[in-house]
Amino acid sequence: MTQNPPDLRPDLARARVTETARPGQPTIGMVSLGCPKALVDSERILTRLRAEGYGISPDYSGADAVIVNTCGFLDSAKAESLDAIGEALNENGRVIVTGCLGAEPEYITGAHPKVLAVTGPHQYEQVLDAVHAAVPPDPDPFVDLLPASGVSLTPRHFSYLKISEGCNHACKFCVIPDMRGKLVSRPARAVLREAEKLVEAGVQELLVISQDTSAYGTDWKDRDTKFPLLDLARDLGSLGAWVRMHYVYPYPYVRELIPLMAEGKVLPYLDIPFQHAHPDTLRRMARPAAATRTLDEIAAWRAICPDITLRSTFIVGYPGETEEEFQTLLDWMDEAQLDRVGCFQYENVAGARANALPDHVPEEVKAERWARFMEKAQAISEAKLAAKLGSRQEVIVDEVDEDGIATCRTKADAPEIDGNLFIDEGAAHLQPGQIVTVEVDETGEYDLWGRLV
């Protein structure tokens, strides 16, 4: 069976395009890189284009032009984006660039001067203008201008729900606020309306995303409540779909979300970017440095909802990180016993303040620490999954292959970044999006196997 590798990137979302264009319809291809937040931007762009009569091509050869939605979070992500732009130019020749890396147009045009246009993140109108200039619309008014629903780049049974844009944090390793601006929260009624439409269209799982989900609504000066996320979570939980919370900073009031999880209103799952555990490292990152209080909060969350799943990402090899500081992180992991963990080796990012910090860690030391960290995380994951042997789990079916093997996820698993539960027998009749009960009969380091009950 396929298992998730321990170095699976925790910031990637895969785009799927299955639509077929009508004969003669102008078509646009999309390459969507980076995080689920960028994937939502890609969906919005394609939905607008589809509403104007454009077809969506799943490959380069069938497209009149290609949009590359880039990532600029890390230097390696920038290199990946440049490679994707180059591939699109080679395969198609007519390329429009958008996304986070689009905030640095000279960087892109310096490497690829033949791109047709460069726009920044969530600049939807500018992307549409560039498409119009490259490929004029030619809609059939009887079939093209009233699409039944928005274009989705995920399977129809789950969807990302972006509730805000931008970020008010000033972490030294991150340039997202420079690229995407300060926090701007979507009106709650707009979020709920979108969520209702998704559920009506068959979505069984809503994945709530933003740069800082906990801060949702705190940019509203006239808000009725101090923390609007609590009301939003409660309202989303009334729609009848799984609701999964991502990118939740561990502010004290997050504890008020946990009863909703214990009551089954939202999934007992929190994706929290802890980043590190040593207070000195956190201070150099310009992050909250209360790792001890964080352990107290984790204990409080588990007291309220014992089944809660905690996932996080960490950075090893941050400038100035000593062996003592790294060992503190390993010891903290022993205490915290997080269920799902991703890890980055620190990279400089152009424009980030961390670049100027002293005592950068050698690459070989970063790699060695990353391996030790992942060994620790893997052992914790394996032990936690072993404890589920014989338990009954509600799972959502993601796909069933030609051999009748179903790939599913428990409530503890987000798509693409966490583990899977596989059903080897008697699963050929299952359909994606179906929620079934299984008994776990085998466990691994990251994945589970089970049988239908």
Side-chain angles (χ1 to χ4, degrees):
M1 284 297 175
T2 301
Q3 294 188 349
N4 286 329
D7 59 344
L8 187 67
R9 285 274 297 277
D11 62 329
L12 296 183
R14 301 173 191 172
R16 299 169 176 84
V17 178
T18 58
E19 185 170 323
T20 302
R22 62 171 169 79
Q25 186 177 25
T27 59
I28 302 297
M30 172 68 81
V31 177
S32 190
L33 304 173
C35 64
K37 296 177 285 294
L39 192 71
V40 172
D41 290 342
S42 297
E43 291 177 337
R44 290 179 179 173
I45 292 167
L46 292 179
T47 296
R48 293 280 298 274
L49 291 172
R50 181 67 187 84
E52 294 183 353
Y54 290 91
I56 302 169
S57 174
D59 53 51
Y60 293 119
S61 61
D64 295 307
V66 175
I67 300 170
V68 179
N69 191 359
T70 58
C71 178
F73 182 59
L74 300 170
D75 282 354
S76 58
K78 291 182 178 182
E80 183 182 7
S81 293
L82 289 182
D83 288 345
I85 295 167
E87 179 180 318
L89 284 168
N90 290 334
E91 297 291 332
N92 182 278
R94 296 168 62 76
V95 177
I96 296 162
V97 179
T98 190
C100 284
L101 192 56
E104 304 178 49
E106 296 84 4
Y107 182 84
I108 294 170
T109 56
H112 298 296
K114 293 184 179 180
V115 297
L116 300 178
V118 179
T119 71
H122 54 86
Q123 292 182 344
Y124 307 126
E125 298 301 328
Q126 291 91 326
V127 176
L128 294 174
D129 289 345
V131 172
H132 296 159
V135 186
D138 184 20
D140 180 334
F142 295 103
V143 297
D144 288 337
L145 298 184
L146 291 172
S149 62
V151 175
S152 177
L153 298 178
T154 56
R156 64 176 299 177
H157 63 280
F158 70 80
S159 182
Y160 295 102
L161 183 67
K162 185 158 67 169
I163 63 174
S164 66
E165 191 60 79
C167 181
N168 289 342
H169 292 284
C171 304
K172 289 186 177 181
F173 56 82
C174 182
V175 294
I176 293 296
D178 297 329
M179 293 178 173
R180 290 186 170 262
K182 294 292 186 180
L183 173 70
V184 179
S185 301
R186 295 178 62 197
R189 62 183 180 276
V191 175
L192 287 171
R193 187 163 59 245
E194 180 183 352
E196 288 167 354
K197 289 181 178 178
L198 289 168
V199 174
E200 289 170 2
V203 168
Q204 299 288 333
E205 180 178 10
L206 298 168
L207 300 115
V208 178
I209 58 171
S210 64
Q211 292 298 140
D212 179 1
T213 297
S214 304
Y216 173 76
T218 58
D219 53 317
W220 302 334
K221 294 182 180 178
D222 58 346
R223 63 185 183 273
D224 296 328
T225 60
K226 191 171 183 181
F227 301 114
L229 177 64
L230 302 177
D231 288 337
L232 180 66
R234 189 175 296 109
D235 291 339
L236 291 173
S238 70
L239 299 180
W242 285 9
V243 177
R244 190 180 300 276
M245 310 296 289
H246 285 278
Y247 314 122
V248 179
Y249 279 69
Y251 302 144
Y253 75 86
V254 167
R255 192 183 299 190
E256 298 178 46
L257 279 174
I258 311 304
L260 296 178
M261 299 178 181
E263 296 164 15
K265 300 292 179 58
V266 300
L267 290 183
Y269 180 101
L270 279 181
D271 175 11
I272 302 181
F274 289 123
Q275 307 295 10
H276 210 278
H278 195 284
D280 292 345
T281 313
L282 290 167
R283 275 191 286 269
R284 290 196 302 277
M285 291 178 169
R287 301 275 297 179
T292 302
R293 289 202 299 272
T294 299
L295 288 173
D296 293 339
E297 281 301 303
I298 290 173
W301 300 338
R302 286 174 170 154
I304 298 168
C305 182
D307 293 335
I308 193 169
T309 295
L310 301 178
R311 112 165 302 279
S312 190
T313 52
F314 295 86
I315 298 172
V316 296
Y318 190 76
E321 183 189 60
T322 64
E323 177 61 26
E324 178 187 359
E325 290 175 357
F326 175 69
Q327 186 60 50
T328 296
L329 173 58
L330 294 184
D331 294 341
W332 187 91
M333 285 283 290
D334 280 329
E335 291 280 341
Q337 291 288 299
L338 301 183
D339 303 87
R340 303 281 188 251
V341 173
C343 184
F344 292 102
Q345 296 179 48
Y346 170 80
E347 296 180 22
N348 278 342
V349 177
R353 293 179 297 153
N355 301 352
L357 289 174
D359 302 321
H360 280 243
V361 178
E363 294 299 321
E364 62 272 16
V365 176
K366 293 182 196 175
E368 186 265 345
R369 288 178 182 170
W370 179 88
R372 287 162 60 196
F373 180 94
M374 291 311 304
E375 182 179 10
K376 172 79 67 177
Q378 178 177 299
I380 293 171
S381 174
E382 186 173 15
K384 280 184 163 283
L385 293 184
K388 295 184 179 183
L389 186 65
S391 68
R392 292 194 172 188
Q393 304 282 332
E394 259 194 325
V395 302
I396 189 167
V397 179
D398 280 337
E399 63 180 350
V400 181
D401 67 19
E402 63 275 8
D403 297 322
I405 297 173
T407 300
C408 313
R409 288 179 293 108
T410 72
K411 293 179 178 179
D413 301 301
E416 311 291 1
I417 59 175
D418 292 329
N420 292 301
L421 182 143
F422 300 99
I423 306 174
D424 293 337
E425 297 179 357
H429 66 285
L430 298 179
Q431 298 295 318
Q434 194 171 351
I435 295 176
V436 297
T437 301
V438 301
E439 181 176 312
V440 177
D441 58 14
E442 185 180 345
T443 68
E445 294 168 344
Y446 297 100
D447 299 312
L448 299 170
W449 288 261
R451 59 179 181 83
L452 289 168
V453 175

